Amino acid sequence: MIPGYAELHCLSCYSFLRGASGPEELVQRAVELGYTALALTDECSVAGIVRAHVAAKEAKLKLVVGSEFTLADGLRMVLLVQDLRGYETLCELITKARRAAPKGEYRLAREDIPKAPEGLQAIWLPGLDSRLRGNDKQAGNDGSWISSTFPGNAWIGVELHRGADDAARV
């Protein structure tokens, strides 16, 4: 049990070839582990959110709606919904990204994301972005863009996988 812990980046089987468990299973496991909340953040999708919502409501677990994106230039981030306006904006971004690419793919560029989108928080995922390894200038540019696009609502995500390099990643 991890008191006060909330998982803010979680992929379900709705993220094709990346997530394996269904939304209901993820909610159940979060409850078993004693999580305070779970954010379901499938890639450019909210397809599993209804199933997760039903399961979370039954289990009395706080559910956070979100989605993961890899932008056209390679920047990776998770957007988390704070309120109804944020949900609307997230769905608009998903629709725009899906319509801009062939079926089964998506394309979202930095200029597609509104400045200071109301009701959305961003978690930048630099550890998952291979183009940043050893490129401090690009990392600085990406960090600056995230913080200026989501003023007061931008965070850096650190994902630990119980590997030998966890301390270095932090």
Side-chain angles (χ1 to χ4, degrees):
M1 293 263 243
I2 305 172
Y5 181 79
E7 181 61 55
L8 299 177
H9 184 209
C10 182
L11 303 175
S12 76
C13 59
Y14 287 95
S15 290
F16 187 62
L17 295 178
R18 294 188 59 211
S21 299
E24 305 91 341
E25 294 171 286
L26 293 169
V27 166
Q28 183 57 42
R29 186 65 178 147
V31 169
E32 290 169 6
L33 292 171
Y35 290 6
T36 302
L38 174 69
L40 187 62
T41 58
D42 283 312
E43 188 172 9
C44 195
S45 174
V46 290
I49 209 65
V50 172
R51 290 174 185 254
H53 171 73
V54 170
K57 189 173 181 178
E58 288 175 7
K60 297 181 177 33
L61 178 73
K62 179 171 174 47
L63 179 68
V64 179
V65 177
S67 189
E68 175 194 283
F69 296 93
T70 300
L71 300 186
D73 65 1
L75 183 137
R76 297 189 66 176
M77 66 180 172
V78 170
L79 297 180
L80 300 176
V81 169
Q82 293 177 293
D83 55 26
L84 181 59
R85 182 64 194 124
Y87 182 76
E88 291 169 350
T89 303
L90 180 69
C91 290
E92 289 168 4
L93 288 171
I94 291 169
T95 300
K96 180 181 278 195
R98 293 289 181 183
R99 293 179 91 188
K103 185 174 173 118
E105 299 176 24
Y106 69 95
R107 185 184 189 290
L108 193 65
R110 291 182 193 213
E111 53 271 11
D112 295 327
I113 299 173
K115 183 88 168 159
E118 187 180 324
L120 282 181
Q121 291 198 4
I123 301 174
W124 176 36
L125 303 172
L128 298 178
D129 190 342
S130 60
R131 67 195 174 95
L132 295 181
R133 292 197 180 98
N135 191 342
D136 292 341
K137 183 176 181 187
Q138 183 62 49
N141 291 341
D142 289 352
S144 293
W145 181 82
I146 289 267
S147 66
S148 67
T149 302
F150 298 90
N153 289 314
W155 310 92
I156 296 176
V158 177
E159 297 184 336
L160 304 177
H161 301 282
R162 296 188 176 203
D165 65 341
D166 280 355
R169 294 182 77 179
V170 172

